[in-house]
Amino acid sequence: MNSLAKLDIKYLRGVGPKRSELLAKELDIHTYYDLLYYFPFRYVDRSTVHRISDLQGDMPYIQLRGRFLAFTPQGEGARRRLNALFTDGTGTIEVVWFNRVKAIQESYRTGVEYVIFGKPQLFKNHYSIAHPEVDLYNPSAGPAGLQGVYNLTDKLRNRSFTSRSISKLVETLLEMPVVSNIKDTLPGWLLSKRKLMPLAESLVNIHRPTDVASLQRAQFRLKYEELFFLQLNILRYVKSRNDKLPGMVFSRVGSYFMDFYNNHLQFSLTGAQKRVIKEIRADLGSGRQMNRLLQGDVGSGKTIVAFMTMLLAIDNGFQACIMAPTEILATQHYRTISEMAGAIGVSVALLTGSTRKKERDSIHERLTNGELQILVGTHALIEDTVQFRNLALAVIDEQHRFGVAQRAKLWRKNTVAPHVLVMTATPIPRTLAMTVYGDLDVSVIDELPPGRKPVNTYLRYEEDHEKVYRFVGGELKKGRQAYIVYPLIEESEKSDLKALEEGYELIKETFPHYNVCYVHGRMKPAEKDYQMGLFVSGKAQILVATTVIEVGVNVPNASVMLIENAERFGLSQLHQLRGRVGRGADQSYCILMSKYQLSRDTRHRLEVMTQTSDGFVVAEEDMRLRGPGDLEGTQQSGIPINLRIASLATDGQILQLARDDAEDVLTADPELSSADGAALDRELRFLFDKNVNWSRIS
Ligand code: ADP
Ligand code: MG
């Protein structure tokens, strides 16, 4: 395999220096290996030959067999094109080329039998095909069967590179002995256990399938292989880290924890919360550093889990901190946590960018002498000047706003790296979590506290505005508060900002008896906090905002979330926004305002919102619609998920098999030192050394 990656694509027959430059730049194909692993993205069935007289309605790509009757160049300069009339004896069809007119006219002849392949377009009762693939008819060749279609860029198309050009290069490659002699990358026992098609055969079939069944087996094999090595790599890294990084041991459950649990907990924990606390306790007693991701839908009660975990640290004589992405959230946590901590005599302080110097100095001092037990803050608390006496646990809330590097900084806050608990409300589908966070252990709170009413969600159109406002007015009259959200996709979008400002004016006019406040991402932090503060304290009843409120804000009295131009938001964004309401005991409402004309996907997206309030269903649906690379939160995770053939959205089952097998392999041969293991190790190095440095990702 590695030897193919050493062969420069320019030496392949039919490529040469010019085309190799194009292939490298446009498709990232530099070597024989890259070309061999450039798979078709779909296949067309070329086993049927259509008759021109049978064409009707909107036709897919089809194949015709016949002769050109005449070629007629038309137009001049840029408008030059070549028309040809093609017949198969049952009728005629027009064939058109818009570029390479001269070359084409010279290469095809009238009277000779060809097979042409393309998509017929119906225009004024007549079909025509533009830029078909044209091959001499070869009676002894048999039916062409399935043919791969390759993705191209516009630039390649302009240089008359077609999917067919790629096919031809691949065919040349497939006939070379270096390819047919490729050694399998997977051990024989795995091939037979999972009934996998051998590698060399799969590579042939993925490009040139003999039939549908072989294509499917080849796809399965290559997807499996891709996911297997991905998992093997992650798991091996986890293992080496667990071996290397010791963690502080929290051996006892002490009096702070017990006092709080028995005397001050305002509610009983849900089953899911109890289970998660148990999982965390097991980590903390293991002697290894914990790196755990805690997932729980908005409102599922992650804060209390974090707090009780912190008490475990304190009971064992250590300090703990919790870090939030914004000042508003940090302040909110501080309020909740100091109330609970105060009841049991645990000391807490808040440190943010706007903490005054005097207060900051005092915090620094109390941190180093150990007087302060819990520090709540923004990223201000990871600055080097902040030193702890004995930090043993760092909780990170709403993780996707934090970079990997910032997390790593936390590790250095003590001689033994503190345990890390990352909390996120962005529900990450299981398959994605296994891949992106494969090195973090995952706990899930999959149960909401009792008595929560699901938020009623409605889709309404622009002409319903008046009615909707009347409804909002009704809620305000009952003493509730409302969010009204406008899209602001990019900070630079002036028109969005204008819509937001106009919206603000309109809302003030519509609700003259209420106070309206206003936030967007371009405001100065202090101004933003001031405006948010008006809403949180209840001084303002309506908050007009952009998605800046998406994360974590908790105003239980708010019962309406009205989202303007909802069609412009992504699913998980809508779900996060909806999570801002339904936090109190009252029935809450989420109203999605949209224009009436919607694409199918967009309508589906909005309907998903009205049909489910389950964050995981929303996330799975989101991944299906948009693909995993696009999923919010994953871009910032710093892990390129660049899969050639497998899809995290649809190949979850294969991923599970691959993960199970990778685990088995490592259990039997942790160092990959057996003969089979060494081969896997070589492949891992080949695949990942140039790509991702997993050791830098916590
Ligand atoms: P999130 O997971 O979104 O961070 P929070 O931790 O802010 O959720 O919890 C949301 C609300 O639910 C808080 O007011 C909290 O006190 C309450 N809560 C948490 N756990 C329970 C429970 N087991 N029973 C009742 N209420 C709970
Ligand atoms: Mg929270």
Side-chain angles (χ1 to χ4, degrees):
M1 189 52 42
N2 302 18
S3 62
L4 283 172
K6 289 192 186 111
L7 293 171
D8 193 317
I9 195 70
K10 76 177 169 218
Y11 300 121
L12 186 72
R13 184 157 45 83
V15 180
K18 272 224 176 87
R19 292 181 114 193
S20 76
E21 226 169 85
L22 262 181
L23 285 172
K25 220 161 128 202
E26 298 297 307
L27 302 179
D28 211 15
I29 296 175
H30 307 266
T31 66
Y32 284 24
Y33 177 89
D34 295 337
L35 178 63
L36 191 58
Y37 277 80
Y38 193 72
F39 301 146
F41 74 101
R42 66 183 173 87
Y43 298 84
V44 288
D45 183 0
R46 294 199 57 177
S47 56
T48 325
V49 178
H50 277 79
R51 288 149 56 100
I52 294 177
S53 60
D54 291 344
L55 301 187
Q56 51 175 322
D58 186 24
M59 298 295 295
Y61 278 80
I62 58 157
Q63 191 164 234
L64 299 169
R65 195 177 94 213
R67 296 174 163 80
F68 289 108
L69 294 173
F71 292 93
T72 334
Q74 295 192 325
E76 284 304 321
R79 316 188 60 137
R80 194 168 148 84
R81 63 193 170 109
L82 180 65
N83 280 18
L85 206 58
F86 186 87
T87 180
D88 64 354
T90 72
T92 59
I93 188 169
E94 192 187 28
V95 177
V96 204
W97 290 271
F98 296 97
N99 45 37
R100 297 177 63 228
V101 166
K102 193 151 165 272
I104 284 167
Q105 203 178 355
E106 281 166 8
S107 49
Y108 303 139
R109 283 172 297 148
T110 55
V112 177
E113 205 166 7
Y114 290 102
V115 173
I116 68 171
F117 177 76
K119 184 168 166 50
Q121 229 90 46
L122 190 56
F123 185 68
K124 285 193 185 153
N125 272 329
H126 225 87
Y127 282 101
S128 72
I129 297 186
H131 289 274
E133 281 175 17
V134 180
D135 285 303
L136 266 180
Y137 173 57
N138 176 358
S140 58
L146 291 172
Q147 185 182 309
V149 181
Y150 297 87
N151 250 326
L152 294 172
T153 62
D154 283 343
K155 193 145 179 200
L156 282 169
R157 273 191 214 96
N158 291 341
R159 307 279 174 92
S160 36
F161 230 101
T162 61
S163 169
R164 189 46 183 264
S165 327
I166 306 267
S167 287
K168 283 192 176 143
L169 296 178
V170 169
E171 257 158 56
T172 307
L173 187 59
L174 289 177
E175 263 137 41
M176 299 177 67
V178 271
V179 175
S180 39
N181 293 338
I182 278 181
K183 267 186 39 196
D184 213 293
T185 45
L186 297 171
W189 63 267
L190 209 47
L191 295 185
S192 40
K193 179 180 175 193
R194 297 295 179 200
K195 301 193 175 57
L196 298 171
M197 186 185 259
L199 181 58
E201 198 183 332
S202 306
L203 288 168
V204 172
N205 272 290
I206 202 74
H207 289 289
R208 267 196 332 212
T210 44
D211 50 58
V212 175
S214 320
L215 172 61
Q216 287 170 339
R217 288 195 60 211
Q219 285 171 324
F220 183 86
R221 147 78 204 219
L222 294 166
K223 285 175 175 186
Y224 174 92
E225 161 153 359
E226 186 163 49
L227 296 169
F228 173 80
F229 282 108
L230 195 61
Q231 290 301 321
L232 192 64
N233 194 47
I234 295 167
L235 291 171
R236 192 167 65 148
Y237 166 63
V238 176
K239 231 202 128 316
S240 69
R241 196 190 57 200
N242 283 350
D243 288 347
K244 272 187 216 122
L245 273 189
M248 285 162 271
V249 180
F250 298 3
S251 49
R252 55 202 193 103
V253 176
S255 55
Y256 285 125
F257 187 97
M258 288 324 292
D259 182 21
F260 179 76
Y261 187 74
N262 291 329
N263 308 319
H264 300 281
L265 191 55
Q266 308 282 344
F267 38 73
S268 27
L269 295 178
T270 63
Q273 286 170 321
K274 284 186 193 157
R275 191 191 67 236
V276 167
I277 290 175
K278 251 194 218 143
E279 288 166 359
I280 292 172
R281 274 192 53 198
D283 283 359
L284 300 177
S286 73
R288 290 193 304 251
Q289 187 218 14
M290 171 174 80
N291 271 285
R292 188 168 279 278
L293 178 71
L294 173 56
Q295 289 188 0
D297 210 345
V298 283
S300 61
K302 295 184 291 293
T303 316
I304 193 75
V305 171
F307 179 67
M308 292 178 72
T309 306
M310 292 195 266
L311 293 184
L312 288 173
I314 294 163
D315 270 335
N316 286 274
F318 297 110
Q319 291 166 303
C321 67
I322 176 167
M323 185 157 78
T326 65
E327 194 141 348
I328 296 166
L329 287 177
T331 310
Q332 200 171 277
H333 274 318
Y334 175 69
R335 238 183 264 130
T336 323
I337 288 173
S338 50
E339 202 173 296
M340 296 188 290
I344 51 172
V346 165
S347 53
V348 189
L350 173 68
L351 181 69
T352 70
S354 51
T355 305
R356 302 204 182 247
K357 175 143 193 336
K358 214 173 127 201
E359 168 72 358
R360 208 162 48 216
D361 288 344
S362 142
I363 289 175
H364 285 171
E365 193 185 320
R366 286 183 295 145
L367 275 181
T368 37
N369 70 21
E371 201 180 295
L372 199 54
Q373 292 161 298
I374 295 179
L375 182 63
V376 182
T378 55
H379 52 269
L381 66 75
I382 57 169
E383 276 164 26
D384 291 332
T385 47
V386 182
Q387 296 291 333
F388 293 80
R389 174 143 185 261
N390 207 353
L391 180 71
L393 171 72
V395 180
I396 303 175
D397 197 11
E398 307 298 355
Q399 164 274 342
H400 60 283
R401 305 275 157 131
F402 275 113
V404 173
Q406 287 169 310
R407 237 191 289 164
K409 255 185 147 177
L410 271 173
W411 290 22
R412 296 195 287 271
K413 290 280 175 206
N414 205 338
T415 43
V416 177
H419 299 292
V420 176
L421 181 67
V422 173
M423 305 199 292
T424 176
T426 308
I428 298 160
R430 208 180 128 62
T431 48
L432 193 60
M434 273 165 74
T435 312
V436 181
Y437 298 109
D439 63 325
L440 290 180
D441 297 305
V442 180
S443 289
V444 183
I445 304 185
D446 50 5
E447 185 185 351
L448 291 180
R452 290 280 168 81
K453 295 197 188 83
V455 178
N456 287 345
T457 305
Y458 303 101
L459 177 55
R460 291 288 179 266
Y461 302 104
E462 269 149 10
E463 61 266 28
D464 304 323
H465 254 122
E466 213 173 300
K467 258 195 183 138
V468 169
Y469 285 153
R470 233 180 293 136
F471 175 80
V472 174
E475 285 294 299
L476 295 175
K477 219 174 197 160
K478 288 191 233 160
R480 308 274 171 270
Q481 288 164 281
Y483 295 96
I484 299 179
V485 177
Y486 287 81
L488 187 67
I489 304 303
E490 281 300 327
E491 308 232 326
S492 57
E493 298 248 355
K494 283 214 179 79
S495 57
D496 280 344
L497 198 58
K498 193 154 155 272
L500 175 75
E501 275 159 7
E502 283 168 4
Y504 174 54
E505 294 304 324
L506 173 72
I507 297 297
K508 277 200 295 191
E509 270 167 44
T510 314
F511 300 102
H513 305 301
Y514 296 100
N515 294 323
V516 185
C517 58
Y518 168 65
V519 260
H520 62 77
R522 279 216 241 162
M523 278 177 171
K524 296 219 170 72
E527 171 71 1
K528 204 158 52 179
D529 281 352
Y530 171 75
Q531 294 282 336
M532 275 307 299
L534 290 176
F535 191 68
V536 173
S537 65
K539 284 187 195 119
Q541 292 77 36
I542 302 176
L543 173 65
V544 173
T546 61
T547 53
V548 293
I549 55 160
E550 166 187 336
V551 173
V553 174
N554 188 22
V555 180
N557 188 48
S559 66
V560 179
M561 170 61 65
L562 174 60
I563 304 174
E564 295 285 346
N565 294 109
E567 76 275 5
R568 289 179 53 190
F569 292 88
L571 252 183
S572 66
Q573 222 174 6
L574 290 172
H575 182 70
Q576 289 296 315
L577 286 169
R578 178 168 62 182
R580 296 309 106 219
V581 295
R583 305 174 81 82
D586 296 297
Q587 180 61 57
S588 294
Y589 306 88
C590 174
I591 304 161
L592 308 172
M593 301 299 296
S594 120
K595 55 180 187 180
Y596 191 75
Q597 288 284 337
L598 295 172
S599 73
R600 220 178 59 190
D601 275 1
T602 306
R603 186 170 294 279
H604 178 65
R605 208 162 62 218
L606 297 177
E607 278 167 0
V608 167
M609 286 295 295
T610 63
Q611 285 157 9
T612 184
S613 53
D614 183 329
F616 282 87
V617 176
V618 170
E620 298 275 358
E621 210 47 49
D622 193 32
M623 191 157 103
R624 239 174 34 78
L625 286 171
R626 306 201 303 170
D630 232 19
L631 206 74
E632 278 161 71
T634 56
Q635 292 111 321
Q636 284 131 309
S637 67
I639 300 165
I641 308 179
N642 199 354
L643 297 173
R644 288 173 197 274
I645 183 165
S647 148
L648 295 177
T650 52
D651 297 325
Q653 280 177 325
I654 308 180
L655 178 60
Q656 186 65 55
L657 298 180
R659 183 164 177 111
D660 292 347
D661 292 343
E663 265 168 12
D664 286 353
V665 165
L666 287 174
T667 309
D669 183 10
E671 304 295 325
L672 296 181
S673 51
S674 66
D676 278 350
L680 292 174
D681 185 56
R682 269 196 303 280
E683 184 67 14
L684 279 180
R685 279 172 211 275
F686 168 67
L687 289 172
F688 294 101
D689 277 5
K690 54 182 184 275
N691 263 332
V692 188
N693 184 354
W694 286 93
S695 60
R696 290 203 356 255
I697 294 154
S698 63

